[in-house]
Amino acid sequence: MHHIMECIQKFQALNEQLENIKQEVVKIGLDYYVQVARLAALDSIQMNRAATANWKR
């Protein structure tokens, strides 16, 4: 059980890092379509990470 909680905490930390990256993408001021593509890719990574974390529970 301890290992599962440890994994979940690491997944949460990764999620926070991904959210920070998404905020930086917006701040940089990239072309709209380039920005949307990057944010969509990061969202996809977050969804897969969330699914994996939930599977671990």
Side-chain angles (χ1 to χ4, degrees):
M1 184 69 166
H2 174 71
H3 294 294
I4 292 172
M5 294 305 294
E6 193 174 302
C7 285
I8 290 171
Q9 289 174 345
K10 288 181 180 180
F11 280 127
Q12 288 172 337
L14 284 171
N15 193 48
E16 289 175 22
Q17 290 175 336
L18 286 167
E19 196 60 40
N20 290 339
I21 292 168
K22 286 168 55 177
Q23 290 176 13
E24 289 300 317
V25 167
V26 173
K27 287 180 188 177
I28 291 172
L30 297 171
D31 177 69
Y32 175 77
Y33 294 105
V34 172
Q35 181 177 330
V36 168
R38 283 174 171 74
L39 291 174
L42 290 166
D43 281 342
S44 181
I45 293 169
Q46 280 184 304
M47 287 188 295
N48 286 328
R49 190 237 25 101
T52 303
N54 287 331
W55 174 76
K56 285 283 196 184
R57 289 181 183 187

